[in-house]
Amino acid sequence: MTVKEAVKESLLGSSKEPQLSQQVKHHFFHHARKDESTGEFYMTEDDFINAIAPKHEDYHKIKREHYGLLFRVADKRRAGKLSLSDWATFENLLTKPDAEYEIAFRLFDLDGTGTVKWDTFKDLYNMNKSSDSIPFDWNSEWASLYSGRSKARHDMTYPQFAQMLRGLQGERIRQAFHIFDKDGDGYIEPEDFQRIILETSKHKLSDYVLENLPSLCNISAGTKISYATVRAFQNIMREMDMIDVIVREATQKSEDGKITRADFLNEAARITRFSLFTPMEADILFHFAGLDAPSGRLSQKDFAKVVDASWRMPLALAGQAVSTATTTAQVAAEKTRSVLHSILESVHHFALGSLAGAFGAFMVYPIDLVKTRMQNQRSTRVGERLYNNSLDCFRKVIRNEGFLGLYSGVLPQLIGVAPEKAIKLTVNDLVRGHFANKENGKIWYPYEILAGGTAGGCQVIFTNPLEIVKIRLQVQGEIAKTVEGAPRRSAMWIVKNLGLVGLYKGASACLLRDVPFSAIYFPTYAHLKSDVFGETQTQRLGIVQLLTAGAIAGMPAAYLTTPCDVIKTRLQVEARKGDVRYNGLRHCAATIWRDEGFKAFFKGGPARIVRSSPQFGFTLAAYELLQNWLPMPGTHVDVTPSGHVEPGVGLQSAKAPLPYLRSRNALKLLLDLDENIGRVYIPQADKWPKFLQPSKQ
């Protein structure tokens, strides 16, 4: 990428996936080892597993050693080790939307020709099956539909192979049923049904379901299980994600959070168009979910035991807790380090935000001073009208007070920026996080307004004293020119003179301004980014787009709250001799209305708009630059496999990196072939397929 292209992407954003070269390299070298004789870095199979399968993930269903099977996909040179190029190719493969199926396809495409040879596929399948497993007929009518009959076999392309894999599990179950249905009456024993499911679908079902499989015969008369029941059970397995959605929706509408079989079917009819559930399928679902709750009204937790494959029996969880108790000290120490790092990181961000905020405030401070002077001008008094407009005010300040006069009272403003921004942003994030949907991050619009308003209210506690000191310093130069002998006061003198109570003079007006300002600004800014500029997980916005969103959001927020700002300014400015002294919020508003008219409430409105937009721009630009110039000491590139985080489906949302999840899902497809794939070792190495044979030294 050229410098011009890099600058363009930084400013305008990019809808493409970010370049991962540095991340991929760092991830590789973090796990790779060095060949001392050649100086070459490489990954062994164990290194690969450590890189692709984080140790903290759940390996209850798919064992961690299973991920070694994917090493054979990454090792396309059959060298027994991975180079940086091999690793980068595999990482890139994981970013594809159909990575799961393509990984499985490449495992069997030995020659890299884009096709899978039928004999190779069948040999590998048979090699991984144990002698006592349920046999599968690869010469069946079903198999011939994908590969042709024995005399007209053809290689399978990627789309054909992927579609064959999708239907393979169902065919395995069908053939297994025929094997156990020895008398051909369409029924098998519950123990045989359990064996079929354990061999074909163990990795997709919870321990709770697996242990209670024989009880399926109880949903109908008799002691055996029919083929119709087996097919219905298979359909339930295929629709677990849809079942989860239906259960969530139905239980949310229920007053007690529980639903009946009729509630489930009614909600399914509302949500789905073609994925309708048969009465038998509903019976099977409620049978397993209701084994511990025979009342017929089931909660979401009851269904979790069925639809969540990671659900475990309480005794298993207790055993796991006991086994991990020995590492409590190490975990506690690691958590302590993590907390300390988080605190230091927060301090670092706070410091950068303070510097950036101070810079932004400094750059637009002259506009703020002009705004204050215009708002404090009382046009009804003879000779009182010093300024005709904002531009006239700007010129007269420079002429009468010099250029430095534009920065009268700037120090309190700079001091107040850091806590103001920190309090406002933190409270807004906390309230939004409390009300936001934990799965998709969406939040009801009234809650967005509440979050912004709460943030604006909290900041007043800290910023009101600084505002009143700043305003009084800003109008000192004006007083010095109109009142002969008027002394100049320092910020400390103003603080001592006002006292604690005086520092909060005009706080009600400050609340009246800042609460609606933040209530307008934050929701508008969030919706501009997502709805107008299209910010998503895969499309990041550039600086220009962020600046534009912030500027546009600030315009209505600033102008619509100008009347409150005018009242606040009048209350906080020290009244001069002969001026009306305001007794409070209502008296101030009534006096302005009576003496100056409605337009007086919008004095300085344009200046507020002009100030808000560039201040946000300067602050954001400075913050971005400071992050690059002053990174946190000890910061390193995250070595988590690159990619986005999966939003997650199911009763437990997936939080792992997407490449790991794609690898896991690819293994689920491969395990549909056989539970032992990749785990059975054949002693005669010369009989292994080429890609499994050890490399020749």
Side-chain angles (χ1 to χ4, degrees):
M1 179 183 293
T2 64
V3 174
K4 181 178 179 181
E5 291 171 339
V7 172
K8 182 179 179 181
E9 180 177 323
S10 176
L11 292 175
L12 302 180
S14 172
S15 60
K16 300 184 298 183
E17 292 292 329
Q19 296 295 319
L20 302 177
S21 57
Q22 293 301 321
Q23 199 172 13
V24 169
K25 287 179 181 178
H26 193 94
H27 193 198
F28 174 80
F29 289 116
H30 181 77
H31 294 282
R33 61 185 70 193
K34 185 177 181 180
D35 187 334
E36 297 299 335
S37 60
T38 62
E40 175 191 8
F41 283 87
Y42 65 94
M43 275 187 184
T44 64
E45 183 172 329
D46 289 339
D47 299 330
F48 174 84
I49 293 175
N50 290 333
I52 202 64
K55 293 183 179 180
H56 61 273
E57 295 298 334
D58 183 8
Y59 297 102
H60 175 55
K61 285 296 175 182
I62 299 179
K63 304 304 180 184
R64 196 162 181 263
E65 56 267 22
H66 267 130
Y67 288 81
L69 189 62
L70 304 183
F71 178 81
R72 303 165 193 175
V73 177
D75 184 19
K76 58 182 185 297
R77 297 179 294 114
R78 319 301 178 205
K81 59 183 179 180
L82 300 184
S83 65
L84 175 59
S85 176
D86 296 330
W87 172 254
T89 301
F90 184 77
E91 279 259 43
N92 180 260
L93 173 61
L94 291 178
T95 63
K96 293 188 175 183
D98 56 345
E100 297 89 343
Y101 282 99
E102 189 159 347
I103 287 173
F105 177 77
R106 291 193 183 190
L107 183 64
F108 298 99
D109 180 16
L110 303 185
D111 301 326
T113 59
T115 60
V116 171
K117 298 184 183 302
W118 182 255
D119 290 338
T120 301
F121 175 71
K122 187 172 66 172
D123 290 345
L124 180 60
Y125 174 82
N126 291 329
M127 184 195 74
N128 282 278
K129 290 184 68 66
S130 58
S131 58
D132 60 344
S133 62
I134 302 173
F136 182 81
D137 182 13
W138 286 104
N139 295 315
S140 65
E141 288 294 325
W142 177 88
S144 66
L145 293 175
Y146 291 97
S147 62
R149 297 187 182 277
S150 57
K151 294 183 179 180
R153 294 283 188 212
H154 62 79
D155 298 341
M156 287 185 289
T157 63
Y158 170 54
Q160 292 170 341
F161 179 84
Q163 203 61 44
M164 183 273 296
L165 274 187
R166 182 167 175 78
L168 178 61
Q169 187 181 65
E171 177 63 12
R172 288 184 65 201
I173 293 175
R174 188 190 69 81
Q175 289 192 21
F177 186 92
H178 279 295
I179 292 173
F180 289 108
D181 181 19
K182 295 181 173 59
D183 54 7
D185 63 351
Y187 289 90
I188 60 175
E189 296 293 337
E191 293 75 15
D192 295 331
F193 169 71
Q194 185 177 34
R195 181 183 173 187
I196 292 173
I197 298 302
L198 287 175
E199 284 201 22
T200 60
S201 313
K202 180 181 178 181
H203 56 287
K204 292 183 176 180
L205 298 171
S206 68
D207 292 349
Y208 174 83
V209 173
L210 294 175
E211 292 182 9
N212 289 283
L213 283 174
S215 68
L216 189 59
C217 65
N218 295 329
I219 69 168
S220 60
T223 59
K224 292 187 176 183
I225 296 176
S226 68
Y227 181 69
T229 304
V230 174
R231 291 293 297 178
F233 182 83
Q234 183 186 354
N235 291 341
I236 289 292
M237 286 195 299
R238 292 175 64 93
E239 297 292 341
M240 286 297 190
D241 291 338
M242 179 55 67
I243 290 172
D244 181 24
V245 173
I246 295 171
V247 168
R248 284 176 181 272
E249 293 294 326
T251 53
Q252 286 177 0
K253 296 176 182 178
S254 173
E255 292 183 358
D256 61 354
K258 296 182 178 181
I259 60 173
T260 63
R261 177 180 177 276
D263 295 330
F264 174 82
L265 290 174
N266 289 335
E267 190 63 31
R270 295 188 188 98
I271 292 178
T272 65
R273 294 186 300 166
F274 306 112
S275 298
L276 298 179
F277 291 88
T278 66
M280 181 177 286
E281 290 166 0
D283 289 340
I284 292 174
L285 174 63
F286 273 75
H287 166 74
F288 284 108
L291 286 174
D292 297 329
S295 65
R297 292 188 61 80
L298 306 180
S299 67
Q300 195 169 334
K301 290 184 178 180
D302 296 320
F303 289 99
K305 295 180 291 187
V306 179
V307 301
D308 185 3
S310 63
W311 191 92
R312 305 190 197 182
M313 298 294 287
L315 289 177
L317 293 175
Q320 183 184 28
V322 172
S323 65
T324 56
T326 56
T327 61
T328 302
Q330 293 89 330
V331 172
E334 186 174 344
K335 285 185 177 180
T336 301
R337 288 193 296 270
S338 178
V339 170
L340 290 175
H341 182 270
S342 299
I343 293 174
L344 292 174
E345 190 174 27
S346 299
V347 171
H348 176 257
H349 289 167
F350 185 89
L352 295 186
S354 301
L355 292 174
F359 175 73
F362 182 83
M363 294 300 292
V364 300
Y365 189 80
I367 302 174
D368 188 56
L369 181 135
V370 170
K371 182 264 308 180
T372 301
R373 296 280 181 94
M374 289 297 297
Q375 289 179 342
N376 189 50
Q377 179 173 253
R378 310 186 186 193
S379 58
T380 58
R381 293 174 58 88
V382 178
E384 184 72 21
R385 186 163 185 165
L386 297 176
Y387 316 116
N388 296 322
N389 49 51
S390 296
L391 185 60
D392 181 55
C393 176
F394 185 81
R395 286 198 299 261
K396 288 181 178 177
V397 169
I398 294 179
R399 184 175 68 240
N400 297 330
E401 305 170 42
F403 179 77
L404 294 179
L406 293 172
Y407 286 92
S408 298
V410 69
L411 185 59
Q413 173 73 348
L414 299 184
I415 294 174
V417 163
E420 176 190 353
K421 299 299 181 187
I423 292 172
K424 181 185 290 188
L425 295 174
T426 301
V427 173
N428 178 69
D429 288 343
L430 284 174
V431 179
R432 284 182 69 96
H434 177 74
F435 289 109
N437 186 296
K438 298 300 184 292
E439 295 180 3
N440 54 30
K442 292 184 178 180
I443 180 173
W444 190 33
Y445 190 69
Y447 288 149
E448 288 188 279
I449 297 175
L450 175 63
T454 304
C458 290
Q459 80 173 64
V460 172
I461 299 173
F462 194 88
T463 57
N464 195 83
L466 294 163
E467 281 271 309
I468 193 170
V469 173
K470 178 198 73 172
I471 287 174
R472 295 203 173 191
L473 289 172
Q474 284 179 335
V475 299
Q476 272 194 143
E478 178 183 287
I479 296 173
K481 292 297 179 182
T482 56
V483 180
E484 187 175 353
R488 279 191 171 272
R489 307 296 189 183
S490 66
M492 290 303 300
W493 185 93
I494 294 173
V495 171
K496 291 179 181 179
N497 184 61
L498 287 171
L500 181 61
V501 176
L503 286 173
Y504 283 93
K505 185 177 182 180
S508 56
C510 200
L511 279 169
L512 197 61
R513 178 198 67 176
D514 290 344
V515 170
F517 179 91
S518 296
I520 296 171
Y521 180 81
F522 282 112
T524 305
Y525 178 60
H527 283 279
L528 281 171
K529 289 197 300 179
S530 60
D531 301 339
V532 176
F533 294 102
E535 184 182 49
T536 63
Q537 289 184 341
T538 59
Q539 178 173 340
R540 59 188 179 90
L541 301 184
I543 295 175
V544 172
Q545 293 165 312
L546 291 172
L547 290 176
T548 305
I552 295 174
M555 290 177 183
Y559 193 76
L560 293 176
T561 56
T562 299
C564 304
D565 194 49
V566 170
I567 295 172
K568 178 193 73 69
T569 300
R570 295 290 181 90
L571 289 172
Q572 292 181 336
V573 170
E574 186 177 7
R576 284 172 271 178
K577 188 175 181 179
D579 284 344
V580 176
R581 292 183 178 273
Y582 303 115
N583 299 326
L585 189 70
R586 184 178 299 178
H587 177 251
C588 179
T591 303
I592 294 173
W593 177 276
R594 184 185 67 247
D595 296 343
E596 304 173 50
F598 177 75
K599 289 184 178 180
F601 286 106
F602 287 91
K603 285 182 177 180
R608 270 175 63 79
I609 295 175
V610 173
R611 182 201 65 173
S612 297
S613 297
Q615 181 174 8
F616 178 83
F618 283 123
T619 301
L620 180 61
Y623 186 67
E624 295 286 344
L625 291 174
L626 286 171
Q627 282 185 315
N628 294 329
W629 293 343
L630 302 172
M632 181 177 173
T635 301
H636 62 278
V637 180
D638 187 8
V639 297
T640 302
S642 54
H644 302 293
V645 173
E646 183 193 46
V649 292
L651 291 171
Q652 291 187 357
S653 298
K655 301 298 183 184
L658 189 55
Y660 159 73
L661 295 170
R662 288 200 184 283
S663 300
R664 184 195 64 187
N665 292 340
L667 287 173
K668 288 181 180 179
L669 292 175
L670 293 171
L671 290 173
D672 283 349
L673 289 168
D674 194 273
E675 282 291 318
N676 293 316
I677 189 167
R679 300 179 67 185
V680 177
Y681 296 92
I682 307 300
Q684 296 82 10
D686 58 330
K687 295 182 180 179
W688 294 2
K690 293 179 181 178
F691 78 105
L692 290 177
Q693 292 182 8
S695 58
K696 296 180 180 179
Q697 302 295 332

